[in-house]
Amino acid sequence: MRYISTRGTAPVLGFGEAMMTGLARDGGLYVPETVPEFSHAEIAALAGAPYEEVAFKVMRPYLGGFFTDDEFRGLIAKAYEGFHHAARAPLVQLGSNHFLLELFHGPTLAFKDFAMQLIGQMMQAALARTGERITIVGATSGDTGSAAMEAFRGLANVDVFILFPHGRVSEVQRRQMTTPSEANVHALAIDGDFDDAQARVKDMFNDFAFRDGVRLAGVNSINWARVLAQVVYYFYAATALGAPHRAVGFTVPTGNFGDIFAGYIARRMGLPIDRLVIATNQNDILDRALRLGEYRTDGVRPSISPSMDIQVSSNFERALFDAYGRDGAAVAALMGELKAGGFRISQGALEMLRGTFASGRCSEDETLAVIARHYRTTGELLCPHSAVGVKVAEEHVGLAPMITLATAHPAKFPDAVERATGVRPGLPPHMADLFGRAERVTRVPNDLGALQALVRERVARR
Ligand SMILES: *Cc1c(COP(=O)(O)O)cnc(C)c1O
């Protein structure tokens, strides 16, 4: 299996290199050259299998032999053993034809753990072969950062720097990033929003002297291995509800477009997904793009679902690459226009995108109303991101079962949940002392040079 860049000029890589590289050297994102298709019988055989077995079968064709089968099974087992639910991703029924896929039973209580725990295991195994050291730098809207720190803390040959927007993550999210005591993890609060943090990380990758000097590696959702790990739960949930014998739909609370892009890959692999619905909060650039045919940024408005407060959805570039007939030069030109504010999507590409994705948005008031109604009718608390998904899904439920991805645990966003219901969700036992732990964080300016100096200095000190 070979991986090519969405901008067409970076070197073609194998799985291991694509995983360790993150962002391609031409500024693009790596995608598999071809997507393997599963037969009806192969998909049917996944029904009822343990999560780890589904993970092995779905991901194996993408590895190109980088890990042996035994090695890969071992890494998968370790990645998910720390989850606090035997099913890993349990399904809960919400209505006659509507289900919730709970993806928040991992160690940091958001779906990011599914990919991050596995990539942590895979990178460790790859580094152990060569004795190499790497520096991971990532931007987070709140949940990626804690998941990355949890996956890599304490490792001898990895330093992890996480940039999060100062004052724009929930207190639980912040504390999850600032309280790990290991010397190899570094929480950096940047003066800016998530898009600024993500842009500075991309700048660091595009500075090749810096990139090679500190051996930069990325674990943001631009990393193909993360998308791949998320493809698994689409197969797991769909086969539990009757696929491949019947089709299902998915609604995905969307920010950086990584999670829903994994659903798109699952569909291309042959999983019968009849609707793939993008759910956005008031930062609705993706919903507008699909409706109006124009991808144009207009500033982030902080919301009660902060992990989706994003304008520039990195992984949308992967969808555009396919929509533009895999023309890297065309994608590179669009991304240039985006830097100047936005672009109009061509008619052909728009038709492809509209044929593939549906979309909807959910306002702040609607988010609170869904959390309140859900609590009244079921006694269960929804996190605000999952509530955005539920609201949009309800507008799209049809004959096929609809599965809404519940992306985080309500206790990560207690203020919003309490505002909606009057009930403050408690942290699960393994995190009960979070508010008593000491915090360690460095406030940093939105300035590339200053950030690079800090990273160099801390890496040299270790
Ligand atoms: C990251 C995140 C999202 C958005 O996922 P993308 O892959 O960036 O689209 C939604 N909800 C929660 C809780 C998240 O942490």
Side-chain angles (χ1 to χ4, degrees):
M1 175 70 74
R2 294 168 6 124
Y3 292 85
I4 57 173
S5 164
T6 51
R7 300 196 193 171
T9 58
V12 173
L13 302 180
F15 176 80
E17 293 167 307
M19 171 176 74
M20 299 309 284
T21 301
L23 193 69
R25 285 181 101 89
D26 58 5
L29 282 67
Y30 277 104
V31 288
E33 198 167 40
T34 55
V35 172
E37 268 190 57
F38 281 21
S39 69
H40 199 266
E42 281 171 314
I43 297 171
L46 301 175
Y51 189 87
E52 284 80 353
E53 181 64 18
V54 177
F56 175 77
K57 291 215 169 108
V58 168
M59 292 190 282
R60 186 180 178 280
Y62 290 91
L63 300 187
F66 187 72
F67 296 114
T68 66
D69 286 357
D70 280 351
E71 215 179 348
F72 192 43
R73 281 186 192 280
L75 299 175
I76 291 170
K78 275 210 204 120
Y80 299 115
E81 74 188 5
F83 277 51
H84 298 273
H85 197 295
R88 311 310 185 213
L91 274 169
V92 173
Q93 187 155 14
L94 290 185
S96 55
N97 224 1
H98 190 184
F99 297 80
L100 202 60
L101 182 63
E102 292 186 352
L103 299 175
F104 51 72
H105 296 283
T108 69
L109 311 182
F111 80 86
K112 305 294 197 297
D113 287 324
F114 278 88
M116 209 62 85
Q117 285 293 320
L118 183 65
I119 207 174
Q121 294 295 333
M122 292 196 295
M123 280 191 174
Q124 265 185 75
L127 291 173
R129 288 180 191 167
T130 60
E132 238 178 294
R133 287 185 60 91
I134 56 167
T135 302
I136 290 172
V137 178
T140 185
S141 55
D143 296 322
T144 294
S146 51
M149 287 178 167
E150 180 64 31
F152 291 98
R153 69 192 166 94
L155 295 188
N157 43 4
V158 182
D159 271 286
V160 183
F161 294 84
I162 297 296
L163 280 163
F164 68 87
H166 177 72
R168 298 201 188 200
V169 299
S170 79
E171 187 171 1
V172 173
Q173 288 179 312
R174 189 193 73 235
R175 285 181 170 275
Q176 284 184 316
M177 292 187 276
T178 58
T179 57
S181 57
E182 288 81 358
N184 73 321
V185 296
H186 313 265
L188 309 178
I190 188 172
D191 287 314
D193 59 25
F194 171 75
D195 289 309
D196 295 321
Q198 177 160 262
R200 293 300 77 74
V201 170
K202 285 194 176 170
D203 291 344
M204 287 191 227
F205 273 89
N206 288 328
D207 177 343
F208 295 151
F210 176 77
R211 177 176 183 160
D212 297 338
V214 300
R215 301 208 49 92
L216 212 55
V219 295
N220 269 106
S221 57
I222 51 177
N223 192 309
W224 167 256
R226 272 192 58 195
V227 173
L228 178 60
Q230 292 168 194
V231 175
V232 173
Y233 46 70
Y234 286 89
F235 277 91
Y236 184 67
T239 53
L241 291 180
H245 313 293
R246 68 169 175 177
V248 299
F250 283 95
T251 300
V252 186
T254 296
N256 222 354
F257 211 78
D259 210 3
I260 193 153
F261 189 76
Y264 164 78
I265 293 291
R267 177 150 76 183
R268 285 196 46 202
M269 291 172 72
L271 191 66
I273 299 177
D274 77 334
R275 277 153 215 252
L276 205 44
V277 186
I278 300 164
T280 72
N281 65 19
Q282 61 186 4
N283 295 297
D284 59 353
I285 182 169
L286 288 165
D287 181 47
R288 279 186 284 122
L290 279 189
R291 276 188 295 112
L292 310 173
E294 187 126 341
Y295 193 84
R296 197 158 295 284
T297 57
D298 66 353
V300 173
R301 284 192 294 150
S303 79
I304 55 172
S305 42
S307 305
M308 293 153 61
D309 289 347
I310 293 174
Q311 289 281 306
V312 181
S313 297
S314 289
N315 281 286
F316 192 54
E317 179 168 341
R318 289 187 161 116
L320 287 170
F321 183 59
D322 279 0
Y324 279 81
R326 306 208 123 198
D327 177 349
V331 172
L334 293 176
M335 293 301 133
E337 287 180 55
L338 183 58
K339 281 210 163 138
F343 56 85
R344 170 154 281 286
I345 302 170
S346 76
Q347 197 53 39
L350 191 58
E351 273 165 30
M352 179 282 194
L353 292 170
R354 284 180 177 158
T356 308
F357 301 102
S359 68
R361 90 191 279 278
C362 180
S363 71
E364 296 289 275
D365 286 347
E366 288 166 332
T367 308
L368 291 168
V370 169
I371 299 173
R373 167 166 57 85
H374 187 74
Y375 179 62
R376 264 197 323 274
T377 54
T378 68
E380 301 281 335
L381 298 172
L382 281 175
C383 98
H385 309 78
S386 311
V388 165
V390 166
K391 187 259 177 185
V392 173
E394 284 171 351
E395 296 163 356
H396 289 87
V397 176
L399 291 177
M402 175 63 82
I403 302 165
T404 298
L405 271 48
T407 50
H409 192 288
K412 276 196 116 160
F413 307 94
D415 295 340
V417 174
E418 185 173 15
R419 220 169 108 200
T421 62
V423 178
R424 196 162 181 87
L427 288 165
H430 72 275
M431 279 174 52
D433 66 338
L434 186 66
F435 284 79
R437 298 181 202 158
E439 290 193 74
R440 193 166 53 96
V441 59
T442 307
R443 182 96 173 254
V444 292
N446 179 14
D447 177 81
L448 179 64
L451 288 167
Q452 290 178 322
L454 181 144
V455 170
R456 276 207 192 91
E457 192 263 318
R458 297 245 183 123
V459 168
R461 208 198 285 169
R462 288 231 310 143

